[in-house]
Structure formats: structure tokens, C-alpha cells
Amino acid sequence: MTANTPFIEALRRIEVPGWLAGERGAALDRFLATGMPSARLEAWKHTSLAALERRVLHSPSSVAGEAVCSDIASYPGHALVFQNGQLRCRGTYLANQIAGTLLDLVNTQAVHPYLGQVADDTALANLNLALWQDGALVHVPADVHLSLPIFTLYGAAEAEAMLYPHTLAVLEQGAEAILVEHFLGQTDQPYWQNAVTEIVLEDSARLTHIKVVEEGAAATHTSLTAVRLGRDSEYRALHIGLDGALARHEITVHMAGSGATTRIDAFDLADGHRHADLHLRINHLAPSGTSRVTYRGLAEGRGRAVFDGHVVVDRTARKTDARQSCRGLLLSPQAEIDAMPRLEIYADDVKCGHGASIGNLDRDALFYLQSRGIDPALARQMLMQGFATEALGLLDHTHLRDWLMPRLIAAMARRTLMEPTP
């Protein structure tokens, strides 16, 4: 068996409609021509997928694992629940054309013009396009504002499975919605989720997009979010990375319309031997665009967090306003945080800036809390939560703080915290 055999076999087992068969085959050929990304690529200098190539991966069984439908009531909104790559249940009254599955609607105009057209031509995006079995479609008609969030849960429940969830969100002119993607592992065995999310915001559309990664402790998570913005549209995103042995999220935003706005907030928790990698690229392609990035990374044990934020201002993008804020918190001498905010500017009359800092817990603040009778472990946890909160402002806008904060607090509480380094 060669390293490519599992991927070729996986494609042979997928039943596809006519127009997509050619797309899948071509995408797999492109992946096989390049292979897995490696450290030879600058973008992958800090993250290695070599362990995946040593594993015997396979397509998941459709019946393996327990369904996660019992959790559907815990989501405060509409919900689509996938497990092992297939839809298991849905909790929404929205029409299938607004919140449905790609498999059901793949031959419609809601999917056909967009699928595979927004994501970049990268090895992992090509692999996803070739092998996805199902995923979510969110298509909001013009001037429709959805009052409740749409949740997509992508669960994994089989060892050595390789999963390729694909989400497509298209908001027509003036539409508004909240999309929450939740990746959740149901096993401590190794598996691989390689997800792609494609988002199209037409003129004046607004999307708030929250992604929560709670994969299994031995899981590998790689994902790409690709966004295309029209005139005066707004994309607001919150990335929360809490679990998974290795998790890498790439976000690419093309601000093609004038007056478009992008806000990306992110928090990664890298504990034990966990590796968390967030790569951003924001392309300002039109005048008067605004982008804001706020990243907070926390590392302890031998964990490693990587942040690479790249903002490019095209020569046509006059009056661009772009800023990045990156802060890291180290809780042990063996932990590591790599922060690389970057600006690439080709236009005049712009306001751009970035800042990065990495440090330890504030000993004065720790002493102050302990002097008020607060237990040292609780005092450290309070400071950590305060640090994370700096990147969680979107939760108030979406009214999802009550849903997410208990998950975040529980993740922090599970950690064996070490004394801060001097």
C-alpha cells in the first residue's frame, strides 16, 4: 500500500452526481501531485503533518459510534448534527434551502456556482473537495435577517478515520446571520478532520461566524475558512481552539468590495503537548476597507501556539484601515508561542499597524488576589480567564456567552497549572 492509496480508495467509494465527479477527480489529482504540505513550505514551517503519513487512515463507517443527537437541545438555535461525515439529525424549522446539507442540494443553484470556488488552491483544500461526503449549506435570501444562530456540529467517533466536512455559507445582498461551527471528538483515539468552510457575502450582507474546536485528545484537526466580501459587507469571526493534539486553522479573507469590514478574534489554548496553529491572510482589494484582528494565545506544559497574521493591502485599496493585536501568555518554561503579525502595503493613504507581545502571568495581580484570601490556583485561573476574555467580545453580540463560557472555563479547569515562570 502506498501513501496515496487511502485517498484513492476513499474517492472510489463515494457516489457522486455527474458534474461533481470530474471536479472531485481533478481535485484529487492536484493533491496527489503536491502531496501533504511540509516544512519546505514557509506557511508550514512551524507545523508538521508527518505523523498523519505514518497512520493507516480510512473512510469512517456510517454506523460507527453513538449518535450525538441527544445533545442537540443544548444548542440555543437551529442545529445540524453530523457524525462520521454524515447528517444524523437536524433541529431547525428553516427550509432545507436555507439550512440544509450539501449532499441534498448539490445539483441546485444554491450550491453549484459556489462549491470549490472560494477556497484557495491548496493541497488540503483540494483533498477536501475531492473526498467530502456531506456538509452544511447556509443560504440566506436577500434582506432576510435570521434571528437565531445556525449551529453545525461535526462529530468524530471512530479511530483512524479521516473526515472532510464542508460548509458553504452564501448570504445574499443585505442578509444577516450567525453561523457556529462546532468540531467535537467522541473518542480518545486518533483521527483526522480536514474541514473547509466557504463563505460568500454579497453587498451589505453580515455574517458572524464562530468556530469552536473541541476535538479528541489524540485528534488532528486541519481546516480552511475562505471568505469573499462584497461592497459594504461585514464578516465577524471568533475562533476558539481548546482541544485536539494538533489543530491548525487557516482563514483567508478577500475584501473585494469597497467599504467592507472584517473583524477576527481568536483564542487558542495549548496545553500538555498540544499544538495550536492559527494562520490568517486578509487581502484588502478595494478602497475604504477596515480589518481588525485580536489574537490571544495561552500555552502551558509543553504546548505550542503559533499565530501568523498576514495583511496585504493592494494598490487599489486606498483608505484602508487595518490593525492587528497579538498577545501570548506562557505558563511554563517548556511552553512556546510564536507570533508573526505582518503587513504588506502597496497603496498610499492607509492606516495600518500591528503589535505583538508575549509574557507571563502578572505576579503583582496574582499577589493582590492571594492577599484577598483567594486560593493560588483559583487566582491563576481568574487571571487566565481575564486574558481570554479580551478576545471574546463577539459573544456578547451573539448572546452566546452563556453557551460558550462554561466550555472554556471547563477546558481551563482541566489543566494542571504550573507556577508562573519568574
Side-chain angles (χ1 to χ4, degrees):
M1 178 178 292
T2 68
N4 293 328
T5 300
F7 308 120
I8 297 171
E9 288 296 322
L11 182 58
R12 287 174 179 167
R13 295 176 182 175
I14 297 175
E15 296 181 4
V16 294
W19 74 270
L20 192 54
E23 296 284 340
R24 287 186 186 272
L28 185 59
D29 287 343
R30 291 195 295 272
F31 168 76
L32 296 179
T34 59
M36 286 282 194
S38 70
R40 294 192 299 272
L41 301 172
E42 181 66 24
W44 288 85
K45 182 179 178 181
H46 299 283
T47 299
S48 173
L49 297 180
L52 279 179
E53 300 186 79
R54 296 192 293 269
R55 301 233 298 269
V56 183
L57 298 168
H58 59 82
S59 297
S61 166
S62 61
V63 297
E66 297 181 1
V68 290
C69 295
S70 58
D71 295 334
I72 198 168
S74 65
Y75 292 98
H78 310 282
L80 299 170
V81 178
F82 299 82
Q83 191 173 34
N84 286 353
Q86 297 188 15
L87 182 70
R88 293 302 178 91
C89 53
R90 50 180 289 149
T92 172
Y93 58 80
L94 294 173
N96 202 31
Q97 288 77 11
I98 295 179
T101 69
L102 291 178
L103 198 60
D104 289 342
L105 301 167
V106 70
N107 287 321
T108 69
Q109 285 301 305
V111 175
H112 194 170
Y114 305 104
L115 186 66
Q117 301 303 308
V118 186
D120 295 335
D121 183 19
T122 65
L124 296 184
N126 283 323
L127 190 60
N128 179 286
L129 182 60
L131 300 181
W132 68 269
Q133 295 194 41
D134 207 350
L137 169 70
V138 176
H139 194 137
V140 186
D143 298 321
V144 171
H145 296 187
L146 299 182
S147 58
L148 293 176
I150 297 176
F151 291 83
T152 60
L153 168 63
Y154 293 108
E158 185 173 337
E160 304 296 352
M162 52 181 184
L163 304 164
Y164 302 95
H166 198 114
T167 302
L168 174 63
V170 179
L171 273 63
E172 297 182 358
Q173 184 172 347
E176 184 169 352
I178 299 171
L179 170 65
V180 184
E181 293 185 285
H182 188 195
F183 294 85
L184 184 63
Q186 303 291 312
T187 174
D188 290 332
Q189 300 296 316
Y191 61 89
W192 179 28
Q193 289 230 56
N194 179 40
V196 167
T197 302
E198 296 184 281
I199 296 171
V200 177
L201 302 185
E202 298 184 353
D203 294 350
S204 303
R206 295 182 178 182
L207 177 70
T208 301
H209 176 210
I210 297 177
K211 176 170 176 171
V212 182
V213 178
E214 289 186 294
E215 301 281 18
T220 299
H221 175 100
T222 54
S223 60
L224 166 67
T225 298
V227 187
R228 188 169 69 209
L229 295 179
R231 178 176 52 83
D232 294 326
S233 60
E234 185 172 356
Y235 175 66
R236 294 175 290 201
L238 172 60
H239 160 96
I240 304 289
L242 302 178
D243 273 310
L246 185 154
R248 175 186 166 107
H249 185 195
E250 298 179 53
I251 305 176
T252 302
V253 182
H254 301 285
M255 301 177 65
S258 61
T261 300
T262 295
R263 171 183 170 180
I264 299 175
D265 296 343
F267 173 74
D268 266 323
L269 177 60
D271 68 306
H273 289 80
R274 183 169 191 265
H275 183 104
D277 184 350
L278 180 65
H279 262 62
L280 305 178
R281 183 182 175 99
I282 299 176
N283 295 313
H284 284 265
L285 303 172
S288 304
T290 301
S291 66
R292 295 287 185 271
V293 174
T294 302
Y295 173 83
R296 299 293 180 262
L298 190 155
E300 69 103 6
R302 294 184 180 275
R304 184 181 186 187
V306 179
F307 171 78
D308 188 326
H310 189 186
V311 175
V312 180
V313 181
D314 188 79
R315 61 184 177 82
T316 61
R318 301 179 311 279
K319 299 187 182 301
T320 287
D321 184 352
R323 299 176 193 172
Q324 290 189 73
S325 168
C326 170
R327 292 180 58 195
L329 187 58
L330 289 170
L331 295 175
S332 80
Q334 295 80 26
E336 181 176 345
I337 297 177
D338 299 292
M340 293 155 287
R342 293 180 285 156
L343 286 168
E344 192 174 331
I345 302 171
Y346 298 99
D348 297 325
D349 192 16
V350 300
K351 293 190 295 183
C352 298
H354 62 68
S357 65
I358 298 173
N360 310 123
L361 279 178
D362 186 333
R363 283 186 167 272
D364 291 338
L366 195 60
F367 174 79
Y368 175 83
L369 292 174
Q370 291 181 240
S371 68
R372 265 63 183 170
I374 298 175
D375 178 79
L378 178 59
R380 288 196 294 273
Q381 189 164 339
M382 290 172 63
L383 293 178
M384 290 164 56
Q385 290 174 18
F387 175 80
T389 298
E390 295 175 354
L392 302 177
L394 280 175
L395 293 181
D396 296 323
H397 165 75
T398 57
H399 305 290
L400 290 176
R401 184 173 287 274
D402 289 344
W403 175 75
L404 185 59
M405 284 306 293
R407 313 186 84 91
L408 181 62
I409 293 171
M412 288 183 174
R414 288 199 300 267
R415 286 25 179 182
T416 302
L417 302 180
M418 301 178 67
E419 291 290 341
T421 52

